[in-house]
């Protein structure tokens, strides 16, 4: 696993206290979008597990919340493996139509069902001698799980509508945001399939469990998306970093990336501004509490005040971060009943 240093230095980013992030690239020619960025102990542990398993053909089960980067980890395993020059086929089990998932995975013969006008190879055939990444494996219908189990056990499958056995050689990486053992205990996932997939488990930590990586992720995402969006955003204030670090990020890195893109688009100059690019979603607040827009506004102002250590005026103050006059912010605080804790 090659580890490089991100080229954007801390001074240019306006984050003087943050060291340059480690960028984990299994291959020097890996695309920037495939880089895994961070410096936390949690991420380094994950990448050490990737190093251990990559050169084997063991099946891997990636666990973790939505948006944590399980797909990047799966790609890193393939690119660091002996199969790196062979096909890497991604299958999202949650998006394939239920009526077509069998033929998509295992292939079909012409005339196997209405609309099957040609013979088509399945994803496992396409990945022969390479890797299949089964994302959202917990969504695979129960009735198809025995067929997947057979492929894992014997390397054999049949096209839908054909008795001919086809041999395939694939390495399987599966990912889920569910507790598969709980699914097994509730009869929604086969126990034998679970143990076949769970040869080498890797849990990808949530962003709130690797807050040390938020600052370096922000720098990486700002540089990348500013270039894509053709905008010059070169300064990331410490107040912005602190505000982002204090949030729980239920959507993890995917949510952070969306916020950064919106902020870049909305920032008028070279300094990244959050403004209305970011408002904690109401689904992160209990439904019984977040019932009005006023309450959401109150929580957002409190969140920014906490991040700014209750500094209102001046550079780096809450008023600047919220893009309003300090007098306006004080008026809103009075109206919303916001007072600094003693």
């Amino acid at each position: 696993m090659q580890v490089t240093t991100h080229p954007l230095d801390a001074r240019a980013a306006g984050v003087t206290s943050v060291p340059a992030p480690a960028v984990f690239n299994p291959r020097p020619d890996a695309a920037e979008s495939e880089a895994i960025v961070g410096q936390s102990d949690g991420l380094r542990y994950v990448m050490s597990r990737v190093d251990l398993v990559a050169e084997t053909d063991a099946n891997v089960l990636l666990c973790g919340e939505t948006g944590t980067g399980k797909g990047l980890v799966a790609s890193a395993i393939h690119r660091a493996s002996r199969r790196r020059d062979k096909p890497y086929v991604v299958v999202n089990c949650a998006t394939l139509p239920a009526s077509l998932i069998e033929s998509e995975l295992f292939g079909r013969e012409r005339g196997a069902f209405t609309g099957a006008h040609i013979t088509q190879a399945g994803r496992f055939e396409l990945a022969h001698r390479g890797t299949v990444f089964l994302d959202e494996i917990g969504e695979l219908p129960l009735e198809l799980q025995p067929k997947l189990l057979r492929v894992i056990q014997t390397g054999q499958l049949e096209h839908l509508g054909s008795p001919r056995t086809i041999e395939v050689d694939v390495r399987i990486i599966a990912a889920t945001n569910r507790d598969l053992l709980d699914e097994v205990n509730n009869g929604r996932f086969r126990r034998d399939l679970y143990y076949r997939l769970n040869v080498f488990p890797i849990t990808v930590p949530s962003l709130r469990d690797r807050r040390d990586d938020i600052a370096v992720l922000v720098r990486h995402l700002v540089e990348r998306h500013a270039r894509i969006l053709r905008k010059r955003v070169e300064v990331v204030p410490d107040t912005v970093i602190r505000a982002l670090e204090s949030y729980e990020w239920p959507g993890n890195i995917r949510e952070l990336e969306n916020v950064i893109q919106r902020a870049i688009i909305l920032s008028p100059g070279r300094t990244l501004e959050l403004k209305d690019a970011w408002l904690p979603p109401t689904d992160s607040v209990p439904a019984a509490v977040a019932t009005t827009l006023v309450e959401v506004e109150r929580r957002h102002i409190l969140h920014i005040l906490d991040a700014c250590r209750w500094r209102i005026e001046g550079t780096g103050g809450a008023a600047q971060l919220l893009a309003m006059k300090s007098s306006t912010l004080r008026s809103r605080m009075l109206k919303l009943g916001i007072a600094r804790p003693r």
Side-chain angles (χ1 to χ4, degrees), residues 61-100:
L61 180 61
L62 302 174
C63 303
E65 297 176 7
T66 297
T68 52
K70 297 187 293 295
L72 289 179
V73 175
S75 178
I77 293 171
H78 172 73
R79 288 185 281 113
S81 74
R82 292 188 294 266
R83 297 173 181 257
R84 65 178 65 91
D85 296 319
K86 301 301 181 181
Y88 176 67
V89 176
V90 178
V91 180
N92 190 317
C93 299
T95 59
L96 286 176
S99 59
L100 296 177

Side-chain angles (χ1 to χ4, degrees), residues 35-320:
I36 300 175
V37 179
Q39 60 186 9
S40 65
D41 291 341
L43 180 62
R44 290 183 182 276
Y45 177 72
V46 167
M47 299 314 294
S48 71
R49 301 275 287 176
V50 169
D51 279 337
L52 287 172
V53 78
E55 285 299 314
T56 75
D57 281 333
N59 294 332
V60 180
L61 180 61
L62 302 174
C63 303
E65 297 176 7
T66 297
T68 52
K70 297 187 293 295
L72 289 179
V73 175
S75 178
I77 293 171
H78 172 73
R79 288 185 281 113
S81 74
R82 292 188 294 266
R83 297 173 181 257
R84 65 178 65 91
D85 296 319
K86 301 301 181 181
Y88 176 67
V89 176
V90 178
V91 180
N92 190 317
C93 299
T95 59
L96 286 176
S99 59
L100 296 177
I101 188 168
E102 182 176 3
S103 66
E104 288 292 323
L105 287 177
F106 308 113
R108 65 172 183 256
E109 292 295 310
R110 177 181 178 181
F113 54 84
T114 302
H117 301 301
I118 59 172
T119 296
Q120 178 177 301
R123 305 294 179 91
F124 284 96
E125 284 177 89
L126 296 176
H128 183 54
R129 294 182 180 173
T131 304
V132 172
F133 173 45
L134 298 173
D135 199 8
E136 304 293 353
I137 187 64
E139 303 291 337
L140 187 69
L142 193 60
E143 61 270 19
L144 291 184
Q145 292 176 22
K147 288 198 171 186
L148 174 57
L149 181 64
R150 184 190 175 203
V151 174
I152 297 174
Q153 289 177 326
T154 68
Q156 297 179 338
L157 56 83
E158 286 93 28
H159 281 182
L160 190 63
S162 170
R164 183 172 64 91
T165 298
I166 298 171
E167 303 276 345
V168 291
D169 170 20
V170 295
R171 195 252 185 97
I172 293 177
I173 303 173
T176 181
N177 58 17
R178 295 186 180 188
D179 184 337
L180 278 192
L181 195 54
D182 184 60
E183 296 292 295
V184 168
N185 293 332
N186 284 283
R188 293 187 293 265
F189 202 84
R190 290 181 62 103
R191 187 176 298 273
D192 47 5
L193 178 57
Y194 168 73
Y195 287 117
R196 284 287 183 175
L197 294 172
N198 195 38
V199 174
F200 195 88
I202 299 177
T203 298
V204 183
S206 65
L207 190 53
R208 63 183 170 277
D209 289 329
R210 42 180 289 216
R211 292 182 191 273
D212 291 349
D213 288 336
I214 290 178
V216 292
L217 276 167
V218 170
R219 290 170 49 199
H220 173 77
L221 293 170
V222 167
E223 180 177 280
R224 177 185 169 202
H225 288 292
R227 184 168 60 251
I228 293 172
L229 295 168
R230 298 180 182 178
K231 295 199 66 174
R232 293 192 65 180
V233 178
E234 300 170 344
V235 178
V236 183
D238 289 337
T239 51
V240 170
I241 294 295
R242 288 199 301 270
L244 296 176
E245 285 177 334
S246 64
Y247 180 50
E248 289 300 302
W249 298 108
N252 292 292
I253 299 173
R254 188 177 299 136
E255 183 183 5
L256 174 63
E257 186 169 13
N258 291 342
V259 168
I260 295 301
Q261 289 183 73
R262 287 196 299 271
I264 291 171
I265 293 170
L266 292 169
S267 296
R270 297 186 180 183
T271 299
L272 188 74
E273 299 179 13
L274 289 181
K275 291 187 177 180
D276 55 349
W278 175 59
L279 185 67
T282 56
D283 62 3
S284 66
V285 183
V289 177
T291 55
T292 67
L293 183 60
V294 170
E295 182 62 24
V296 173
E297 180 187 9
R298 183 176 186 277
R299 286 176 176 272
H300 183 53
I301 290 175
L302 279 168
H303 182 81
I304 297 300
L305 285 167
D306 285 338
C308 296
R309 298 183 176 87
W310 287 82
R311 181 180 179 183
I312 294 176
E313 287 96 359
T315 302
Q320 183 189 59

